[in-house]
Structures are given as C-alpha cells and as structure tokens.
Amino acid sequence: MKQILRLSLLFLLVNSCGTSKPAEKQEGIINEKTSVDAPSKSSDFIIAFGSCNRQDLPQPLWESIVENNPDLFIWGGDNVYADTADMQQLENDYETQKANAGYQKLLASTEILATWDDHDYGQNNGGTNWEFKKESQQKFLDFLDVPVNDLRREREGVYHSKLYTTPKGSVKVIVLDTRYFRSDLTMSETPGKRYEPDPEGTILGEAQWTWLEQELKDSRADFNILVSSIQILAAEHGFETWGNFPLEVVKLEDLIASSGAQNVVILTGDRHISEFSRKQVKGLKYALVDFTSSGLTHTYTGFTGEPNQYRTGEVVSDLSFGLLFIDFDSRSIRMEMRGKENILQQEHLEKYK
C-alpha cells in the first residue's frame, strides 16, 4: 500500500487560535507538533477527510492533503456553500469547486467519497421538509460523477457504502445522510443554545436505518468507518448534533455494539472546529471515537470553549483536515489533524483488540 512522508517530532503541541481549556493528558492523545521534514513511515491504508469548504474562498489545504498520498478522500459535508433553491446556482457552485486547481490535483490522484450537510443540501439547517431535496441530490451526485445507472440516482438520500480490500486487510466506509430524512429541529429558549432534544424525531429515517443495520451486520471488514456530517458523541453545545435526537444516539450505539462489526470509527464535520471525542459504549470491546474535522476554508476563530464530556485532547480552530493511518498488523489507527503546510496540529492513536 502507499508510503507516506511522516514528520519528526519537534515541539509540544501549540494550540491553534481559539482552543478550549487544556485537557488532562488522556489515553491515546499525543500532544506534539511537527515540522515537514521527517523520515517516512508506512501505513496500510490512508484516509483523508474534511468539511466546511467555501468554493469562493482560498483553499490552501489541498496540496498538503495530496502530499500525504491518501488512498481515499471523504467529503464530510458543506462541500460547497450554496444555500439556494436555484438548482442552476447550485450546479454553478459545484462547477466552481470542481475547477479549483488544488482540488483538481486531488481528483487526479485519489478516489473521492462524500456526504453532504446543510449548505450543499441547499437549506441552512435543513432537513426532511426541504422542498428541493430531490433536485439537490442529483446535483450532488453530478458533482461526484456518479454514473446515471448507479443505485443512488434512484434511491432517496445520498447514503452509500464501499469496501476497500488490501493484501493485509479490509476497510468498509459507510457514508450516512443526516439531512434527507431528518425531523425538524426543536428551537431552544435557553441562552447560548439553538436547539433542545427531541425524543420522538429521527435523523436517518426508516429506510436508511434498515440499510445501515444490514451494512453493519454483514460487514466482515477489519475496520468500519462511519461518516456523519454532524457530530454524534458531542451533544452539550446546543448546535446541530445527533444529541438533539437522543434516542437516535442510543439506537446507533446499540446497533454498533450488537452488529458484530469490527472497529467502528466515526468521522464528522460541520462545527468549524476539530476535536476527538471518545466514549466507552456498553457492549463494545473498544472505545468509540468520533473524529471531527472542520473546516477546510474557514473556522470558528472566536471559539473560547464549550462542554464535551467525551472530548479527549483539545479543540483546534485553525484550518484543518483529518487523516487516518490504518495499520492492520497492530490493529490500530493513528488519527491526525493537519493544517497549512501540512503542520501536525494534534494526533490520537487508538489501538483495537
């Protein structure tokens, strides 16, 4: 599998602007910063991912992403910012992004998978009641060059899965759609919070839940990567999160634990910050990690802190993309946040039994 240029250790992690209060050193977190000249190390399968990308802003991270030689890049949502009912405008925004010179280099070297979030869905914070969701889905699939005879052209929602097999092991990527079927949000009257939990609503909808259950139960992959545009574990901040539908969180955790799928890792976006969340889930022999990477072109630069009982490490609010280095021999994943000039911002090593 591909070799990647890795970085020598120089300094203790220097927080990016707008970080949370420093966390205690926790299992798996390596708080170090590196330079870009370093001896190379091998990895069996490399995934890069990112979210929150404005097509009309400078995009300085593509070159660094390509330098890491990923086997796969995953869009985590808000791949463009459209927020429009005008499907021609949405198409134009996708074309603008596709023509970006840095992104073209990634397209030429790396396979792309994707989900969407609200701004490329077409409606800010939109859910199941967005009236142009069917038309928007086709524009999204056009952006990804999905063939006209692909199942996703006929099925409601952009959820999708793909298995990647290497000589040493396999990785299954399961991409969720957290927009097409999501119930309306319940507005909060609490200062500083947008939404309140809804015990009755759904995020995935019945058809997607049935599909996901089968995907996990049928999986024989060594690692399973679950992609959600919004955070799953972090729930206290009051913005969009699976925590707005708490029974959906319980349902997902129970499904992961009961399915028998090995080594499930969650990738999320949306927040304009990057962080690691880690939770011990009943019935799982390993910790469930939710790796949030956001954003590629703009971030929450005014971030001063927010609660997250599952956070491990610190919040990064500089431009950032995520990397996963999967090692089948050691049954481990090294997860990295990287920024401009490929600088390592934070990393987390998760070992699986």
Side-chain angles (χ1 to χ4, degrees):
M1 194 48 67
K2 298 183 178 180
Q3 301 291 318
I4 124 172
L5 191 63
R6 302 295 302 277
L7 307 180
S8 61
L9 303 177
L10 292 180
F11 304 105
L12 293 175
L13 179 66
V14 177
N15 293 331
S16 58
C17 61
T19 59
S20 65
K21 181 180 178 180
E24 298 294 328
K25 186 172 182 180
Q26 300 176 47
E27 180 181 354
I29 280 287
I30 309 169
N31 287 326
E32 296 161 326
K33 193 171 183 177
T34 68
S35 71
V36 289
D37 26 35
S40 62
K41 293 183 180 180
S42 64
S43 183
D44 298 319
F45 196 82
I46 302 169
I47 298 173
F49 77 105
S51 65
C52 301
N53 179 82
R54 292 197 69 103
Q55 70 281 1
D56 54 356
L57 287 180
Q59 299 180 25
L61 299 184
W62 296 121
E63 183 175 344
S64 294
I65 292 172
V66 172
E67 283 177 0
N68 286 283
N69 201 22
D71 297 287
L72 174 67
F73 178 81
I74 303 174
W75 283 108
D78 290 338
N79 312 319
V80 298
Y81 277 65
D83 296 292
T84 181
D86 183 343
M87 292 299 106
Q88 185 57 56
Q89 181 59 52
L90 179 58
E91 181 178 329
N92 293 345
D93 290 336
Y94 277 131
E95 289 301 318
T96 297
Q97 177 54 42
K98 209 168 196 178
N100 179 276
Y103 184 60
Q104 279 290 316
K105 292 180 181 178
L106 182 70
L107 278 174
S109 63
T110 309
E111 184 173 353
I112 309 288
L113 290 181
T115 189
W116 57 13
D117 202 36
D118 53 343
H119 297 295
D120 41 351
Y121 185 53
Q123 184 183 54
N124 186 37
N125 299 328
T128 190
N129 290 319
W130 174 231
E131 60 181 318
F132 293 101
K133 62 184 183 181
K134 291 184 179 181
E135 294 85 350
S136 179
Q137 176 173 334
Q138 296 306 312
K139 298 301 182 184
F140 171 87
L141 297 175
D142 291 344
F143 172 63
L144 296 177
D145 296 319
V146 173
V148 294
N149 61 346
D150 190 281
L151 175 61
R152 285 170 288 174
R153 294 286 186 177
E154 301 297 328
R155 183 171 63 192
E156 291 189 306
V158 302
Y159 55 93
H160 180 59
S161 73
K162 188 164 183 179
L163 180 67
Y164 296 87
T165 302
T166 81
K168 287 189 173 183
S170 58
V171 179
K172 187 173 188 177
V173 178
I174 302 173
V175 178
L176 301 178
D177 185 333
T178 65
R179 290 292 162 188
Y180 203 98
F181 308 99
R182 198 217 65 209
S183 300
D184 290 339
L185 297 166
T186 303
M187 300 303 296
S188 175
E189 296 181 358
T190 303
K193 292 185 71 174
R194 291 187 182 181
Y195 309 112
E196 293 292 343
D198 177 1
E200 303 297 332
T202 184
I203 293 179
L204 300 186
E206 184 177 351
Q208 188 176 185
W209 269 117
T210 299
W211 170 85
L212 176 59
E213 180 178 3
Q214 205 62 47
E215 289 290 326
L216 287 172
K217 288 184 175 180
D218 289 349
S219 179
R220 299 296 178 266
D222 297 282
F223 292 91
N224 291 274
I225 311 300
L226 194 63
V227 183
S228 165
S229 67
I230 57 174
Q231 289 182 309
I232 293 176
L233 295 185
E236 296 121 301
H237 50 70
F239 296 94
E240 285 208 80
T241 166
W242 276 61
N244 292 324
F245 302 91
L247 293 185
E248 294 282 90
V249 179
V250 173
K251 184 175 181 177
L252 179 63
E253 291 176 352
D254 288 348
L255 175 57
I256 292 172
S258 65
S259 68
Q262 296 188 71
N263 307 330
V264 176
V265 180
I266 298 167
L267 306 183
T268 58
D270 175 60
R271 292 297 322 287
H272 304 279
I273 58 173
S274 296
E275 65 178 338
F276 299 114
S277 302
R278 188 175 187 270
K279 181 180 181 180
Q280 296 290 342
V281 174
K282 184 178 180 180
L284 275 184
K285 298 179 180 179
Y286 56 89
L288 187 62
V289 175
D290 182 338
F291 181 0
T292 302
S293 182
S294 172
L296 292 168
T297 61
H298 57 296
T299 60
Y300 185 4
T301 56
F303 181 86
T304 57
E306 66 185 27
N308 176 3
Q309 62 180 309
Y310 301 116
R311 181 181 299 132
T312 181
E314 300 178 8
V315 170
V316 168
S317 61
D318 283 338
L319 297 185
S320 185
F321 64 93
L323 289 169
L324 286 81
F325 299 93
I326 297 175
D327 188 295
F328 294 109
D329 289 334
S330 64
R331 295 182 64 79
S332 67
I333 304 180
R334 188 181 189 90
M335 306 176 199
E336 296 183 348
M337 301 171 191
R338 288 185 177 266
K340 291 180 180 179
E341 299 180 354
N342 217 10
I343 292 296
L344 179 63
Q345 298 161 325
Q346 191 168 199
E347 56 189 342
H348 175 87
L349 179 65
E350 192 70 33
K351 295 184 178 181
Y352 298 87
K353 298 178 180 180

